Structure formats: C-alpha cells, structure tokens
C-alpha cells in the first residue's frame, strides 16, 4: 500500500529553527510537495522537489532523498504566523497526490 | 498565478437535503479537477477526479450516487452531496492542475455542516 509518515505535532520557539520530516512509500514517484494549512483554510503550496537535494526558498527549505524515501521541510527564523499544519504529499505514478496526515506546528513566544 | 474559487465557502443544511458545491478555475481551463474531503485533524482524502465531458472517477469507498460530480465546462466542476447526513459534515476542497499535473491550485474550501 501507499504510505506517508510525518510527526503528528511539533513545538518550537519563535526565532528558532525546526525540521519536519516525512517518509514515504508509494507506487511510483513524480515529486514531493510540502503545503502549509492554517486551521479552516485550504492548503497553500510551499515547495516541490523531484530531484535529490536541498531547495531553498527564503526562510523555508525542502530536502529530498529518493533512495531513502525521505524528505524534510526546514523552517528558519520562526514567526508566530508559522503556526499551522504542514502537509507532505507525493505525486505517484498515476499523477495522483498521496497525502500525509500533516504535522501541526506550534510556535511559542 | 492561477486562481481556483469555490462556492459557497460555508453551508449549513438539514439532514436529508442536497447541497451543491461549485469549483471554478477563474483564469485557466481545467479538463481535470480533484475533489477532496478533510475531517478535523486529518489529512486530505481524495474523493474523486472530475473529468470535463466524461464521468468522474471515484476513489474506493466513495459512493458515486451520493456524491454527484458534474464537470460541465472547462472552468466549472460541481459536487452535489445528495441526502446529506451529519457524518457528511466536513471540509470539502477542490483543486485543479495548471501547467502540468505537478502544479495543483486549491480552492479555498467549503465547510459543510449537516444538522
């Protein structure tokens, strides 16, 4: 079966750095996405990785290792507005998005 | 960038009634749209793939007679929840690919509450 695992909840301090991990087992791979979702809202796109390595975009970076079925989202200089759920999703061989359950990130002052 | 809208954003209805949710691609054409459902504290679950001009493809366990999907034009897909029950209360989100299946644009979601 297809499976995406990420921690349920994480807590971090304002101004700090946090890394959210995601491991996946899917039928085929056409890229991995990270989305941010605030409560009651639809997900918003953060990043897309299809090749191994680190993609940096401002305070957010995303890493992918296809051989290990592993990705992480790195958030730097955390701000209170970063409190949200972060969803990892993989595009499988049928170009269908397989979603993780999301990681709720709580930022404390 | 591409914009996807949904209407209504929030709906409350009585048990047994039908509710229609619209998903529109505002500045691009979408031959395919996806309908998701998200229960509180859970991830998005794909319900069906809406195909313009043909029947929708439903995921396993999703009742096609209960969740009617119509993709009548290249910019509009509708999801009708027929004979809604309290357990259908959820957050319904649509998405449409633009410029490739790896680029999905999400609508703002519709929160359905069935009393």
């Amino acid at each position: 079966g297809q499976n995406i695992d990420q921690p349920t909840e994480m807590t971090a301090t304002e101004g700090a750095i946090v890394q959210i991990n995601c491991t996946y087992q899917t039928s085929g791979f056409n890229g991995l996405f990270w989305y941010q979702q605030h409560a009651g809202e639809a997900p918003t796109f953060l990043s897309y990785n299809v090749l191994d390595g680190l993609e940096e975009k401002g305070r957010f970076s995303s890493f992918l290792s296809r051989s290990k079925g592993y990705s992480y989202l790195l958030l730097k200089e955390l701000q209170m507005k970063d409190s949200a759920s972060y969803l990892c999703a993989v595009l499988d061989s049928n170009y269908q998005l397989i979603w993780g359950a999301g990681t709720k990130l709580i930022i404390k002052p | 960038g591409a914009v996807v809208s949904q209407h209504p954003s929030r709906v409350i209805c009585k048990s047994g009634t039908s509710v229609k949710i619209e998903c529109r691609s505002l500045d691009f054409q979408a031959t395919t749209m996806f309908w998701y459902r998200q229960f509180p504290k859970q991830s998005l679950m794909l319900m069906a793939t809406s195909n313009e001009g043909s029947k929708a493809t439903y995921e396993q366990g999703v009742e096609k007679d209960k969740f009617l999907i119509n993709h009548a034009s290249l910019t509009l897909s509708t999801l009708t929840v027929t004979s809604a029950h309290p357990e259908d209360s959820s957050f319904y989100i649509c998405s449409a690919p633009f410029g490739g299946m790896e680029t999905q644009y999400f609508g703002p979601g519709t929160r359905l509450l069935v009393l």
Side-chain angles (χ1 to χ4, degrees), chain A residues 30 33 35 37 40-43 48 87 91 95-97 99-102, chain B residues 34 36 38 42-44 46 59 91 93 101-102 104 106-109 111:
Chain A
N30 280 300
F33 295 82
Y35 284 86
Q37 186 177 27
E41 298 180 12
Y48 171 64
L87 307 175
L91 202 60
Y95 285 92
Q96 229 177 62
L97 274 175
W99 293 85
Chain B
F34 300 95
Y36 293 90
Q38 186 178 32
Q42 294 185 24
S43 190
L44 281 74
L46 179 65
E59 295 301 300
F91 192 45
I93 308 173
M101 293 297 282
E102 63 274 8
Q104 297 277 343
F106 285 87
R111 189 161 298 283

Side-chain angles (χ1 to χ4, degrees), chain A residues 33 35 45 48 91 95 97, chain B residues 1-4 24-34 74-75 94-106:
Chain A
F33 295 82
Y35 284 86
F45 172 83
Y48 171 64
L91 202 60
Y95 285 92
L97 274 175
Chain B
V3 178
V4 175
R24 291 182 186 272
S25 55
L26 295 186
D27 49 1
F28 67 101
Q29 294 182 334
T31 56
T32 301
M33 291 184 176
F34 300 95
L74 288 170
T75 59
C94 70
S95 74
F98 175 67
M101 293 297 282
E102 63 274 8
T103 309
Q104 297 277 343
Y105 288 88
F106 285 87

Side-chain angles (χ1 to χ4, degrees), chain B residues 12-86:
Chain B
I12 301 173
C13 69
K14 292 182 179 180
S15 183
T17 60
S18 293
V19 175
K20 181 190 283 188
I21 303 170
E22 293 185 348
C23 177
R24 291 182 186 272
S25 55
L26 295 186
D27 49 1
F28 67 101
Q29 294 182 334
T31 56
T32 301
M33 291 184 176
F34 300 95
W35 285 98
Y36 293 90
R37 179 168 53 182
Q38 186 178 32
F39 291 107
K41 298 184 180 180
Q42 294 185 24
S43 190
L44 281 74
M45 296 297 295
L46 179 65
M47 298 176 66
T49 302
S50 173
N51 304 298
E52 189 270 334
S54 64
K55 292 182 180 180
T57 305
Y58 290 82
E59 295 301 300
Q60 194 171 5
V62 178
E63 301 173 57
K64 61 179 69 175
D65 294 331
K66 180 172 181 63
F67 299 99
L68 302 179
I69 291 174
N70 187 331
H71 197 143
S73 76
L74 288 170
T75 59
L76 173 64
S77 174
T78 60
L79 168 68
T80 302
V81 184
T82 62
S83 186
H85 289 99

Side-chain angles (χ1 to χ4, degrees), chain A residues 4 10 14-15 32 35 37-38 40 43 46-47 58 62-63 66 70 72 78 82-84 88 90 95 104 106:
Chain A
I4 297 189
M10 298 182 71
E14 189 177 16
L32 184 144
Y35 284 86
Q37 186 177 27
H38 285 100
L46 289 178
S47 67
S62 56
F63 171 83
R66 288 172 296 172
Y70 167 70
Y72 67 73
L78 286 170
D82 297 331
S83 293
C88 173
V90 171
Y95 285 92
K104 183 178 179 181
I106 299 168

